[in-house]
């Protein structure tokens, strides 16, 4: 049986900023270690939630070095994206040099084109190292939709393609992938409010968002579902869903960071062009959080 390398709950870790706007490496280290202590399997920095598109190259490399040191032998699997193929290849190689154990490869920022060009970009980045790769499909954010047959084509040509993070929000896409992916390519859920459905369809990993504020609940939900304890999983899922849905709206970065701050696990600071939430948006998010906190009996089933 092929060994799974991306199994379990992998936080798409947020990037903490100090008051002066620089990356807060001390908190980054503490936050990653705290989530690992709650049962997470590794970390996925520099993705959409990690505000990777607002970080400079040197900042990205420094983040990777901090996390590799903080996690020891546990995997750090950074998001690899750039405006150019050359930039993405450079970052992939730097990630390997920093000690990362895998890569999550995204399509290029801004430019969206046909499969011929997207395949050339993805192939160049995948082939830049020998690290195992997760293909990240998020047509909602990046306007590029990698169809199941195209993913299969990349996996057939590149043996280090070992996973797919599916974030199209279409559960039917998860079932389509589960039906055709070879055993060595793992399927990972990429949107928080489709976790239970994704695991039931065959996903073996979850790159999660609200895990940044609720790691114990996230790990428990995943493990209950994987174990086939559907009554318990459904009960916890229903409790968690209003929070998980904060991961699927345009201001998901601001919202998740705000929930982190409200629960004592981070700061709401974001990097421009993002701005922190308005008072009205904060009040709405507080209502969602307060409703969850008012029924703690549903947690720890």
């Amino acid at each position: 049986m092929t060994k799974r390398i991306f199994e379990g709950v992998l936080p798409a870790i947020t990037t903490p900023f100090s008051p002066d706007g620089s990356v807060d490496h001390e908190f980054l280290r503490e936050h990653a270690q705290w989530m690992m202590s709650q049962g997470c399997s590794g970390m996925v920095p520099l993705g959409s939630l990690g505000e990777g598109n607002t970080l400079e190259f040197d900042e990205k490399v420094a983040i990777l070095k901090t996390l590799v040191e903080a996690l020891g032998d546990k995997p750090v699997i950074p998001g690899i994206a750039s405006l150019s193929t050359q930039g993405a290849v450079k970052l992939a190689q730097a990630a390997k040099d920093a000690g990362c154990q895998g890569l999550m490869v995204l399509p290029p920022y801004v430019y969206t084109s046909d499969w011929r060009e997207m395949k050339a970009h993805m192939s160049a980045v995948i082939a830049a190292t020998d690290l195992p790769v997760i293909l990240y499909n998020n047509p909602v954010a990046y306007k590029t939709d990698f169809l199941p047959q195209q993913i299969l084509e990349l996996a057939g040509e590149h043996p280090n393609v070992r996973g797919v993070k599916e974030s199209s929000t279409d559960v039917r896409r998860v079932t389509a992938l589960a039906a055709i992916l070879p055993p060595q390519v793992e399927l990972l859920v990429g949107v928080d409010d489709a976790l239970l459905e994704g695991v039931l369809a065959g996903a073996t990993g979850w790159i999660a968002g609200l895990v940044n504020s609720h790691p114990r609940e996230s790990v428990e939900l995943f493990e209950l579902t994987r174990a086939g304890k559907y009554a318990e999983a459904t009960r916890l899922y229903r409790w968690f869903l209003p929070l998980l849905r904060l991961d699927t709206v345009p201001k998901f970065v601001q919202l998740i960071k705000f929930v982190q701050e409200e629960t004592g696990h981070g700061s709401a600071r974001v990097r421009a062009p993002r701005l922190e939430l308005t008072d009205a948006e904060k009040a709405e998010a507080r209502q969602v959080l307060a409703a969850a906190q008012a029924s703690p009996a549903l947690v720890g089933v």
Side-chain angles (χ1 to χ4, degrees):
M1 182 177 178
T2 303
K3 181 182 177 182
R4 299 194 183 282
I5 53 179
F6 299 125
E7 194 167 24
V9 178
L10 300 161
I13 189 170
T14 53
T15 301
F17 297 112
S18 302
D20 66 0
S22 62
V23 176
D24 185 345
H25 285 270
E26 182 178 356
F27 181 79
L28 177 68
R29 182 181 298 105
E30 294 172 358
H31 187 49
Q33 291 174 338
W34 171 64
M35 286 193 286
M36 294 301 296
S37 74
Q38 303 298 300
C40 294
S41 301
M43 292 291 141
V44 181
L46 310 185
S48 309
L49 183 54
E51 297 174 78
N53 59 349
T54 70
L55 296 166
E56 301 298 329
F57 181 84
D58 289 345
E59 290 180 312
K60 293 180 179 182
V61 174
I63 286 170
L64 299 183
K65 290 179 178 178
T66 293
L67 290 174
V68 167
E69 185 275 330
L71 267 62
D73 62 349
K74 297 296 184 180
V76 176
I77 308 156
I80 304 297
S82 175
L83 289 168
S84 70
T85 301
Q86 181 182 12
V89 166
K90 181 181 177 183
L91 181 58
Q93 293 169 339
K96 180 178 180 179
D97 291 342
C100 294
Q101 296 185 26
L103 306 173
M104 182 178 71
V105 179
L106 288 69
Y109 294 135
V110 181
Y111 184 65
T112 303
S113 184
D114 58 22
W115 172 234
R116 181 179 70 93
E117 290 185 324
M118 289 300 100
K119 181 183 177 183
H121 171 86
M122 299 296 283
S123 294
V125 183
I126 293 165
T129 77
D130 58 356
L131 292 176
V133 164
I134 299 171
L135 304 177
Y136 183 14
N137 185 44
N138 188 341
V140 177
Y142 298 105
K143 313 307 177 188
T144 297
D145 191 4
F146 297 122
L147 301 177
Q149 288 298 329
Q150 294 169 342
I151 291 170
L152 193 63
E153 189 175 329
L154 283 171
E157 295 178 12
H158 300 280
N160 59 325
V161 171
R162 298 293 303 276
V164 177
K165 178 187 177 185
E166 176 51 50
S167 298
S168 67
T169 74
D170 185 351
V171 175
R172 293 171 298 178
R173 183 66 64 83
V174 177
T175 58
L177 285 167
I180 67 168
L181 289 178
Q184 73 273 17
V185 181
E186 301 169 49
L187 182 57
L188 299 98
V189 176
V191 285
D192 277 6
D193 64 349
L195 182 276
L196 189 144
E197 296 88 339
V199 173
L200 289 178
T204 57
W206 178 19
I207 299 180
L210 265 296
V211 65
N212 281 277
S213 59
H214 292 76
R216 181 173 65 87
E217 295 87 344
S218 299
V219 170
E220 186 171 20
L221 175 59
F222 181 82
E223 290 181 348
L224 285 171
T225 309
R226 284 293 305 278
K229 298 180 179 179
Y230 301 130
E232 297 97 325
T234 300
R235 188 153 59 110
L236 180 55
Y237 195 41
R238 287 174 178 168
W239 172 86
F240 211 176
L241 268 173
L243 284 169
L244 295 177
R245 291 190 179 114
L246 299 178
D247 182 57
T248 61
V249 294
K251 291 189 178 181
F252 70 105
V253 175
Q254 294 94 317
L255 285 164
I256 290 174
K257 282 191 158 183
F258 177 72
V259 173
Q260 282 184 248
E261 183 171 279
E262 290 289 295
T263 56
H265 299 297
S267 164
R269 296 186 195 98
V270 289
R271 181 169 282 185
R274 291 182 176 88
L275 299 176
E276 291 187 32
L277 300 173
T278 65
D279 289 344
E281 290 167 333
K282 290 178 181 178
E284 187 175 348
R286 282 195 185 102
Q287 286 183 343
V288 174
L289 180 59
Q293 292 172 332
S295 55
L298 292 181
V299 187
V301 293

